[in-house]
Amino acid sequence: MIAHLINTDIGNRGITNLYLEYRSQNFNFLKNAADILLKNYERTLIVTGFPIPPTMVAETDGPPGTVAIYRAVESLGGQAEVLTYSEVEKALRPFGIQTTKEPQIGNYSLVIAVETPGKTSNGKYYSMNGLEITRETFDWTVEEARELGIPTIGIGDGGNEAGMGKIHELVKKYIPHGERIGSTVETDELVLSAVSNWGAYGLIGEAALRKEELRDVLQGIDERGILKSLAMNGAIDGVTKNMDLSVDGIPEEVHQTIVQLIMNILKKIDNP
């Protein structure tokens, strides 16, 4: 049920058919990702930030979900650090998020990539519109973790993010410009969603089905406050290209509703 919810294509970006075929091939993708989180949370690196051409400023999708995962790791008793861009780092500072600039991947037990570019078959990086991304990227963390045998989770919504290499052929089949923009960077498990923040919330919601200490994590996420801080530090909505309190062109109130619906699902399971 949570997997369906987080793949509701409100933004009409064409994710539905991709999701349906992916789910038919990997029905338990969300449960599998939650299992990886619950087994390996002790020392987690979360990577986020997607630069939007032509300004190459990071977008608002990714950081709110990153904060949620960070809080989930804390609630489980683990430690987390975030690798991201300077404007996102400044925006997350008031929320007590510990960041890192030069992570030593071998020191982590888990790497999670939330809405961050993944390189394509030609070694370049592209936006959803097929424009080249020329800013520093962080998908190397996922590749190095996999080389070291460290578990990885990717969260994405457009086919061009780290982790989407797991379904590269489906991206080419269903996503506009998929042949050009499709990431080839794989993760051990991929959380597909209509908005990457929703993927992060869905991951926590799925994990909360087994860990009661995670039930209140989503309740405590101040998405509006995070979006305000992102806008104040120059981050933009990836669709409107403006410093709006929105994500992927979808108003902030809708994102809050998705969180509330996930919480309602958890309450319904507790009180059938």
Side-chain angles (χ1 to χ4, degrees):
M1 187 180 296
I2 294 176
H4 279 336
L5 175 61
I6 63 176
N7 279 280
T8 304
D9 194 8
I10 293 174
N12 195 29
R13 303 177 72 191
I15 202 71
T16 301
N17 289 332
L18 176 65
Y19 163 65
L20 291 174
E21 185 157 348
Y22 175 46
R23 186 175 169 86
S24 72
Q25 296 177 4
N26 186 9
F27 185 80
N28 290 317
F29 72 88
L30 193 57
K31 177 181 182 297
N32 295 341
D35 287 342
I36 291 174
L37 172 63
L38 293 174
K39 291 175 182 177
N40 301 283
Y41 63 81
E42 291 86 357
R43 183 84 171 129
T44 301
L45 175 66
I46 312 169
V47 185
T48 195
F50 201 108
I52 302 298
T55 62
M56 299 303 159
V57 174
E59 67 166 308
T60 51
D61 194 14
T66 291
V67 173
I69 294 173
Y70 190 100
R71 297 283 183 252
V73 170
E74 286 185 323
S75 296
L76 290 168
Q79 292 182 314
E81 290 183 321
V82 175
L83 174 64
T84 189
Y85 297 108
S86 57
E87 62 270 29
V88 176
E89 184 175 354
K90 291 175 184 176
L92 297 187
R93 197 170 292 156
F95 300 92
I97 302 301
Q98 183 69 40
T99 58
T100 179
K101 294 186 183 301
E102 297 181 351
Q104 302 300 308
I105 303 304
N107 293 335
Y108 296 96
S109 58
L110 174 63
V111 174
I112 304 178
V114 186
E115 184 69 19
T116 198
K119 68 171 169 284
T120 63
S121 54
N122 68 7
K124 296 182 179 181
Y125 302 80
Y126 297 99
S127 71
M128 286 291 292
N129 294 327
L131 300 176
E132 186 175 355
I133 294 167
T134 55
R135 195 174 181 181
E136 174 192 12
T137 53
F138 304 124
D139 56 337
W140 64 268
T141 59
V142 170
E143 294 181 314
E144 186 170 331
R146 285 172 62 81
E147 288 176 1
L148 295 172
I150 297 167
T152 56
I153 299 171
I155 301 176
D157 60 14
N160 53 352
E161 302 93 353
M164 284 288 191
K166 192 173 181 69
I167 55 170
H168 184 59
E169 292 304 314
L170 295 184
V171 169
K172 291 194 294 183
K173 181 177 179 181
Y174 290 113
I175 298 297
H177 312 297
E179 183 78 36
R180 176 177 173 84
I181 73 170
S183 167
T184 58
V185 178
E186 298 188 39
T187 47
D188 294 313
E189 194 53 82
L190 168 68
V191 176
L192 181 65
S193 51
V195 177
S196 289
N197 288 334
W198 302 357
Y201 303 151
L203 173 63
I204 296 166
E206 186 71 26
L209 294 174
R210 274 155 283 167
K211 286 289 185 178
E212 190 170 339
E213 54 264 49
L214 295 178
R215 296 294 173 92
D216 296 328
V217 169
L218 294 179
Q219 180 72 54
I221 300 302
D222 180 14
E223 181 154 6
R224 183 174 181 81
I226 297 169
L227 290 177
K228 280 185 175 180
S229 188
L230 285 165
M232 287 175 57
N233 285 279
I236 61 175
D237 182 308
V239 172
T240 69
K241 309 296 190 298
N242 296 322
M243 289 181 283
D244 298 328
L245 299 188
S246 59
V247 179
D248 287 349
I250 302 170
E252 170 243 341
E253 293 80 5
V254 175
H255 302 285
Q256 291 184 354
T257 299
I258 293 293
V259 171
Q260 188 59 55
L261 288 171
I262 294 173
M263 292 170 56
N264 289 346
I265 290 170
L266 297 177
K267 290 176 184 177
K268 185 66 176 178
I269 290 172
D270 284 337
N271 303 286

Short mmCIF file of all heavy atoms in Angstrom, two decimals, residues 125-163:
data_model
loop_
_atom_site.label_atom_id
_atom_site.label_comp_id
_atom_site.label_asym_id
_atom_site.label_seq_id
_atom_site.Cartn_x
_atom_site.Cartn_y
_atom_site.Cartn_z
N TYR A 125 26.21 13.30 -17.00
CA TYR A 125 25.05 13.40 -16.13
C TYR A 125 24.05 14.36 -16.77
O TYR A 125 24.44 15.40 -17.32
CB TYR A 125 25.45 13.93 -14.75
CG TYR A 125 26.48 13.08 -14.06
CD1 TYR A 125 27.84 13.19 -14.37
CD2 TYR A 125 26.12 12.17 -13.07
CE1 TYR A 125 28.79 12.41 -13.73
CE2 TYR A 125 27.07 11.38 -12.42
CZ TYR A 125 28.40 11.51 -12.76
OH TYR A 125 29.34 10.73 -12.13
N TYR A 126 22.75 14.03 -16.64
CA TYR A 126 21.75 14.84 -17.32
C TYR A 126 20.53 15.09 -16.44
O TYR A 126 20.17 14.28 -15.58
CB TYR A 126 21.29 14.15 -18.61
CG TYR A 126 22.38 13.96 -19.62
CD1 TYR A 126 23.05 12.74 -19.74
CD2 TYR A 126 22.76 15.01 -20.46
CE1 TYR A 126 24.06 12.57 -20.67
CE2 TYR A 126 23.77 14.84 -21.40
CZ TYR A 126 24.42 13.63 -21.49
OH TYR A 126 25.43 13.46 -22.41
N SER A 127 19.89 16.24 -16.73
CA SER A 127 18.61 16.55 -16.10
C SER A 127 17.51 15.77 -16.80
O SER A 127 17.74 15.11 -17.82
CB SER A 127 18.32 18.04 -16.20
OG SER A 127 18.02 18.39 -17.56
N MET A 128 16.28 15.87 -16.29
CA MET A 128 15.15 15.18 -16.92
C MET A 128 14.92 15.65 -18.35
O MET A 128 14.41 14.91 -19.19
CB MET A 128 13.88 15.41 -16.09
CG MET A 128 13.81 14.62 -14.80
SD MET A 128 13.61 12.84 -15.07
CE MET A 128 11.97 12.78 -15.75
N ASN A 129 15.29 16.90 -18.62
CA ASN A 129 15.11 17.45 -19.97
C ASN A 129 16.28 17.14 -20.90
O ASN A 129 16.29 17.60 -22.04
CB ASN A 129 14.92 18.97 -19.88
CG ASN A 129 13.63 19.34 -19.19
OD1 ASN A 129 12.65 18.63 -19.30
ND2 ASN A 129 13.64 20.44 -18.46
N GLY A 130 17.25 16.39 -20.42
CA GLY A 130 18.39 16.02 -21.24
C GLY A 130 19.50 17.04 -21.30
O GLY A 130 20.40 16.95 -22.14
N LEU A 131 19.46 18.02 -20.37
CA LEU A 131 20.53 19.01 -20.31
C LEU A 131 21.67 18.48 -19.43
O LEU A 131 21.43 17.85 -18.39
CB LEU A 131 20.00 20.32 -19.72
CG LEU A 131 18.87 20.99 -20.52
CD1 LEU A 131 18.38 22.24 -19.78
CD2 LEU A 131 19.32 21.32 -21.93
N GLU A 132 22.89 18.74 -19.85
CA GLU A 132 24.03 18.18 -19.13
C GLU A 132 24.25 18.89 -17.78
O GLU A 132 24.15 20.11 -17.68
CB GLU A 132 25.31 18.28 -19.96
CG GLU A 132 26.50 17.57 -19.31
CD GLU A 132 27.74 17.56 -20.18
OE1 GLU A 132 27.66 18.01 -21.34
OE2 GLU A 132 28.79 17.10 -19.69
N ILE A 133 24.56 18.09 -16.78
CA ILE A 133 24.91 18.60 -15.45
C ILE A 133 26.42 18.69 -15.37
O ILE A 133 27.12 17.69 -15.61
CB ILE A 133 24.36 17.66 -14.35
CG1 ILE A 133 22.83 17.69 -14.37
CG2 ILE A 133 24.90 18.05 -12.98
CD1 ILE A 133 22.19 16.59 -13.55
N THR A 134 26.92 19.86 -15.03
CA THR A 134 28.37 20.08 -15.04
C THR A 134 28.94 20.32 -13.64
O THR A 134 30.13 20.57 -13.50
CB THR A 134 28.72 21.28 -15.93
OG1 THR A 134 28.00 22.43 -15.50
CG2 THR A 134 28.37 20.98 -17.38
N ARG A 135 28.12 20.24 -12.62
CA ARG A 135 28.60 20.42 -11.25
C ARG A 135 29.11 19.09 -10.69
O ARG A 135 28.81 18.02 -11.22
CB ARG A 135 27.46 20.95 -10.37
CG ARG A 135 27.93 21.51 -9.03
CD ARG A 135 26.76 22.14 -8.29
NE ARG A 135 27.19 22.72 -7.01
CZ ARG A 135 26.39 23.31 -6.15
NH1 ARG A 135 25.09 23.44 -6.43
NH2 ARG A 135 26.86 23.80 -5.01
N GLU A 136 29.89 19.16 -9.64
CA GLU A 136 30.39 17.96 -8.96
C GLU A 136 29.23 17.03 -8.63
O GLU A 136 28.14 17.46 -8.26
CB GLU A 136 31.10 18.37 -7.67
CG GLU A 136 31.54 17.21 -6.80
CD GLU A 136 31.98 17.66 -5.42
OE1 GLU A 136 31.73 18.84 -5.06
OE2 GLU A 136 32.57 16.83 -4.70
N THR A 137 29.47 15.73 -8.74
CA THR A 137 28.45 14.73 -8.41
C THR A 137 29.00 13.77 -7.35
O THR A 137 30.20 13.68 -7.12
CB THR A 137 28.04 13.94 -9.66
OG1 THR A 137 29.22 13.41 -10.29
CG2 THR A 137 27.30 14.83 -10.65
N PHE A 138 28.07 13.05 -6.73
CA PHE A 138 28.44 12.23 -5.57
C PHE A 138 28.14 10.74 -5.74
O PHE A 138 28.22 9.98 -4.77
CB PHE A 138 27.70 12.73 -4.33
CG PHE A 138 27.91 14.19 -4.03
CD1 PHE A 138 26.83 15.05 -3.91
CD2 PHE A 138 29.19 14.71 -3.86
CE1 PHE A 138 27.01 16.39 -3.62
CE2 PHE A 138 29.39 16.04 -3.56
CZ PHE A 138 28.30 16.89 -3.45
N ASP A 139 27.81 10.31 -6.95
CA ASP A 139 27.47 8.90 -7.13
C ASP A 139 28.66 7.98 -6.91
O ASP A 139 28.49 6.77 -6.76
CB ASP A 139 26.83 8.66 -8.50
CG ASP A 139 27.70 9.12 -9.66
OD1 ASP A 139 28.55 10.00 -9.45
OD2 ASP A 139 27.51 8.61 -10.78
N TRP A 140 29.87 8.55 -6.88
CA TRP A 140 31.06 7.74 -6.60
C TRP A 140 30.95 7.05 -5.25
O TRP A 140 31.54 5.97 -5.05
CB TRP A 140 32.32 8.60 -6.66
CG TRP A 140 32.39 9.68 -5.61
CD1 TRP A 140 31.97 10.96 -5.73
CD2 TRP A 140 32.91 9.55 -4.28
NE1 TRP A 140 32.18 11.65 -4.56
CE2 TRP A 140 32.77 10.81 -3.65
CE3 TRP A 140 33.49 8.49 -3.57
CZ2 TRP A 140 33.17 11.04 -2.34
CZ3 TRP A 140 33.89 8.72 -2.26
CH2 TRP A 140 33.73 9.98 -1.66
N THR A 141 30.21 7.65 -4.33
CA THR A 141 30.07 7.05 -3.00
C THR A 141 29.36 5.70 -3.09
O THR A 141 29.72 4.75 -2.39
CB THR A 141 29.28 7.97 -2.07
OG1 THR A 141 27.98 8.24 -2.62
CG2 THR A 141 30.00 9.30 -1.87
N VAL A 142 28.35 5.63 -3.95
CA VAL A 142 27.61 4.38 -4.14
C VAL A 142 28.50 3.33 -4.80
O VAL A 142 28.55 2.16 -4.37
CB VAL A 142 26.36 4.63 -5.01
CG1 VAL A 142 25.72 3.32 -5.42
CG2 VAL A 142 25.36 5.51 -4.26
N GLU A 143 29.22 3.75 -5.83
CA GLU A 143 30.08 2.80 -6.54
C GLU A 143 31.19 2.27 -5.63
O GLU A 143 31.49 1.06 -5.65
CB GLU A 143 30.68 3.48 -7.77
CG GLU A 143 29.63 3.84 -8.81
CD GLU A 143 30.23 4.50 -10.03
OE1 GLU A 143 31.08 5.40 -9.87
OE2 GLU A 143 29.87 4.11 -11.15
N GLU A 144 31.77 3.15 -4.83
CA GLU A 144 32.84 2.70 -3.92
C GLU A 144 32.28 1.78 -2.84
O GLU A 144 32.91 0.78 -2.48
CB GLU A 144 33.53 3.90 -3.29
CG GLU A 144 34.74 3.51 -2.46
CD GLU A 144 35.58 4.70 -2.02
OE1 GLU A 144 35.61 5.73 -2.75
OE2 GLU A 144 36.21 4.61 -0.95
N ALA A 145 31.10 2.11 -2.34
CA ALA A 145 30.48 1.26 -1.32
C ALA A 145 30.23 -0.14 -1.87
O ALA A 145 30.49 -1.14 -1.18
CB ALA A 145 29.17 1.89 -0.84
N ARG A 146 29.75 -0.23 -3.09
CA ARG A 146 29.48 -1.54 -3.68
C ARG A 146 30.77 -2.33 -3.88
O ARG A 146 30.81 -3.55 -3.70
CB ARG A 146 28.72 -1.38 -4.99
CG ARG A 146 27.25 -1.03 -4.75
CD ARG A 146 26.51 -0.68 -6.01
NE ARG A 146 26.44 -1.78 -6.98
CZ ARG A 146 25.58 -2.79 -6.92
NH1 ARG A 146 24.71 -2.86 -5.92
NH2 ARG A 146 25.58 -3.72 -7.85
N GLU A 147 31.84 -1.64 -4.24
CA GLU A 147 33.13 -2.30 -4.39
C GLU A 147 33.61 -2.87 -3.05
O GLU A 147 34.26 -3.91 -3.01
CB GLU A 147 34.16 -1.32 -4.94
CG GLU A 147 33.96 -0.96 -6.40
CD GLU A 147 34.94 0.09 -6.88
OE1 GLU A 147 35.79 0.51 -6.07
OE2 GLU A 147 34.85 0.50 -8.06
N LEU A 148 33.28 -2.17 -1.97
CA LEU A 148 33.71 -2.58 -0.63
C LEU A 148 32.72 -3.55 0.03
O LEU A 148 32.97 -4.01 1.14
CB LEU A 148 33.88 -1.34 0.26
CG LEU A 148 34.99 -0.37 -0.14
CD1 LEU A 148 34.92 0.89 0.72
CD2 LEU A 148 36.36 -1.04 0.01
N GLY A 149 31.61 -3.83 -0.64
CA GLY A 149 30.62 -4.73 -0.06
C GLY A 149 29.73 -4.08 0.97
O GLY A 149 29.09 -4.77 1.78
N ILE A 150 29.66 -2.75 0.97
CA ILE A 150 28.81 -2.01 1.90
C ILE A 150 27.43 -1.85 1.28
O ILE A 150 27.32 -1.43 0.13
CB ILE A 150 29.43 -0.63 2.22
CG1 ILE A 150 30.77 -0.82 2.92
CG2 ILE A 150 28.49 0.22 3.06
CD1 ILE A 150 31.60 0.44 3.01
N PRO A 151 26.37 -2.18 2.00
CA PRO A 151 25.02 -2.11 1.43
C PRO A 151 24.65 -0.70 0.97
O PRO A 151 25.07 0.30 1.57
CB PRO A 151 24.12 -2.53 2.60
CG PRO A 151 25.01 -3.35 3.48
CD PRO A 151 26.36 -2.72 3.37
N THR A 152 23.87 -0.63 -0.11
CA THR A 152 23.45 0.65 -0.68
C THR A 152 21.97 0.65 -1.01
O THR A 152 21.41 -0.38 -1.40
CB THR A 152 24.24 0.97 -1.97
OG1 THR A 152 24.06 -0.13 -2.90
CG2 THR A 152 25.72 1.14 -1.69
N ILE A 153 21.34 1.81 -0.85
CA ILE A 153 19.95 2.02 -1.25
C ILE A 153 19.90 3.28 -2.10
O ILE A 153 20.49 4.30 -1.75
CB ILE A 153 19.04 2.22 -0.02
CG1 ILE A 153 19.06 0.99 0.90
CG2 ILE A 153 17.59 2.53 -0.46
CD1 ILE A 153 18.35 1.20 2.23
N GLY A 154 19.20 3.20 -3.23
CA GLY A 154 18.99 4.38 -4.06
C GLY A 154 17.53 4.78 -4.01
O GLY A 154 16.64 3.92 -3.95
N ILE A 155 17.28 6.09 -4.01
CA ILE A 155 15.91 6.61 -4.04
C ILE A 155 15.83 7.62 -5.18
O ILE A 155 16.60 8.59 -5.21
CB ILE A 155 15.52 7.28 -2.72
CG1 ILE A 155 15.63 6.27 -1.56
CG2 ILE A 155 14.11 7.87 -2.80
CD1 ILE A 155 15.35 6.87 -0.18
N GLY A 156 14.93 7.38 -6.13
CA GLY A 156 14.84 8.27 -7.28
C GLY A 156 13.45 8.28 -7.88
O GLY A 156 12.60 7.44 -7.56
N ASP A 157 13.23 9.25 -8.79
CA ASP A 157 11.90 9.41 -9.38
C ASP A 157 11.91 9.68 -10.88
O ASP A 157 10.85 9.83 -11.48
CB ASP A 157 11.15 10.53 -8.67
CG ASP A 157 11.85 11.89 -8.78
OD1 ASP A 157 12.78 12.02 -9.60
OD2 ASP A 157 11.47 12.81 -8.03
N GLY A 158 13.10 9.79 -11.48
CA GLY A 158 13.11 10.19 -12.88
C GLY A 158 13.96 9.35 -13.81
O GLY A 158 13.94 9.53 -15.02
N GLY A 159 14.74 8.44 -13.25
CA GLY A 159 15.58 7.59 -14.08
C GLY A 159 17.02 8.05 -14.19
O GLY A 159 17.88 7.29 -14.63
N ASN A 160 17.30 9.29 -13.79
CA ASN A 160 18.65 9.84 -13.92
C ASN A 160 19.39 9.92 -12.60
O ASN A 160 20.43 10.57 -12.52
CB ASN A 160 18.59 11.23 -14.58
CG ASN A 160 17.64 12.18 -13.87
OD1 ASN A 160 16.90 11.80 -12.96
ND2 ASN A 160 17.64 13.43 -14.30
N GLU A 161 18.90 9.24 -11.59
CA GLU A 161 19.52 9.30 -10.27
C GLU A 161 20.37 8.05 -9.97
O GLU A 161 20.15 6.98 -10.54
CB GLU A 161 18.45 9.42 -9.17
CG GLU A 161 17.54 10.61 -9.31
CD GLU A 161 16.26 10.31 -10.09
OE1 GLU A 161 16.17 9.18 -10.63
OE2 GLU A 161 15.39 11.19 -10.17
N ALA A 162 21.32 8.23 -9.06
CA ALA A 162 22.10 7.09 -8.58
C ALA A 162 21.16 6.04 -8.01
O ALA A 162 20.28 6.34 -7.20
CB ALA A 162 23.10 7.55 -7.52
N GLY A 163 21.33 4.81 -8.47
CA GLY A 163 20.44 3.71 -8.08
C GLY A 163 19.56 3.25 -9.21
O GLY A 163 19.18 2.08 -9.30
#
